[in-house]
Amino acid sequence: DIYRLVICNGEMYVASYCDDLYRFSLSEVDPDKAVHASPLNSDFYQDDIEGLVICPINNNIIFVLSQEKGLVELNRHTGRTRTLISLEENVFPTNLACSKDVVWLTTTHGLYSYDMSEGSHSCFVRDAEDRYSLSDNFTTSLLVTDDGRSIWVGTASGGVNVYNSDSEDFKKYYLMEGN
């Protein structure tokens, strides 16, 4: 039931589906034996973790995207957590990615960004009156380009959207069957 995992400085963090978040040292793992790991802390007990990302500017921090708590900052050394974005009750997280200074999360109600330097967040949603807005609020996947200037966002029924951080708008690409 391994759902998400991330490796940082010889440690692996593993999110078990609807269970908890675990940490263990890779140097202590024998590939032929079962790994016995204890939960990292009780903050994520029976929570659905949809994403784990190492902070690009401070590898002591892991960003955790959880159904119960939203976007959470986890200090790897102290185990302390801090909620950065709380999601409304009917909004479910689906994915997480990070650029140099922004954490991006997809949800069933739009694309969220958390600016690490400002400590603020934004939510991008579909606006029928704005052709440069998201094509669909149910965002499912994302990819941040290496330079962090373009965010590719997959949606449930609105194709792929590309957010350009310079122009702050979305371009849309739709899949078509056939040639």
Side-chain angles (χ1 to χ4, degrees):
D1 290 350
I2 304 302
Y3 200 59
R4 304 281 188 222
L5 55 93
V6 67
I7 296 173
C8 183
N9 294 340
E11 293 181 324
M12 179 178 278
Y13 295 79
V14 176
S16 181
Y17 184 70
C18 290
D19 182 18
D20 217 328
L21 182 62
Y22 300 87
R23 172 179 63 188
F24 57 91
S25 171
L26 292 175
S27 64
E28 298 171 5
V29 174
D30 182 343
D32 296 325
K33 295 183 180 172
V35 175
H36 298 284
S38 299
L40 189 59
N41 63 28
S42 61
D43 287 356
F44 302 105
Y45 179 67
Q46 293 188 335
D47 198 348
D48 187 6
I49 296 174
E50 295 293 339
L52 296 171
V53 175
I54 304 294
C55 177
I57 56 177
N58 180 354
N59 70 4
N60 290 327
I61 300 296
I62 296 177
F63 294 111
V64 180
L65 182 58
S66 109
Q67 187 168 331
E68 297 287 325
K69 297 185 179 29
L71 180 62
V72 176
E73 176 185 273
L74 168 67
N75 184 304
R76 292 182 336 106
H77 296 295
T78 66
R80 291 191 190 118
T81 61
R82 178 172 66 116
T83 299
L84 304 175
I85 300 175
S86 293
L87 300 175
E88 295 177 26
E89 188 174 321
N90 60 348
V91 175
F92 300 101
T94 57
N95 215 324
L96 180 67
C98 210
S99 63
K100 185 179 120 186
D101 54 357
V102 177
V103 182
W104 296 92
L105 44 143
T106 56
T107 73
T108 56
H109 186 70
L111 174 69
Y112 286 76
S113 67
Y114 177 80
D115 185 315
M116 290 181 263
S117 60
E118 299 288 326
S120 62
H121 72 276
S122 300
C123 181
F124 302 92
V125 295
R126 182 181 183 279
D127 178 353
E129 304 296 318
D130 181 1
R131 68 182 233 167
Y132 298 106
S133 71
L134 268 176
S135 62
D136 182 14
N137 285 337
F138 196 132
T139 56
T140 58
S141 57
L142 71 156
L143 174 78
V144 178
T145 57
D146 289 340
D147 64 7
R149 298 171 80 184
S150 296
I151 314 304
W152 291 76
V153 182
T155 66
S157 61
V160 176
N161 295 240
V162 181
Y163 177 74
N164 182 311
S165 62
D166 293 332
S167 60
E168 297 185 349
D169 63 5
F170 291 90
K171 289 184 181 168
K172 299 160 186 68
Y173 299 90
Y174 300 95
L175 300 177
M176 293 177 54
E177 289 188 29
N179 298 346

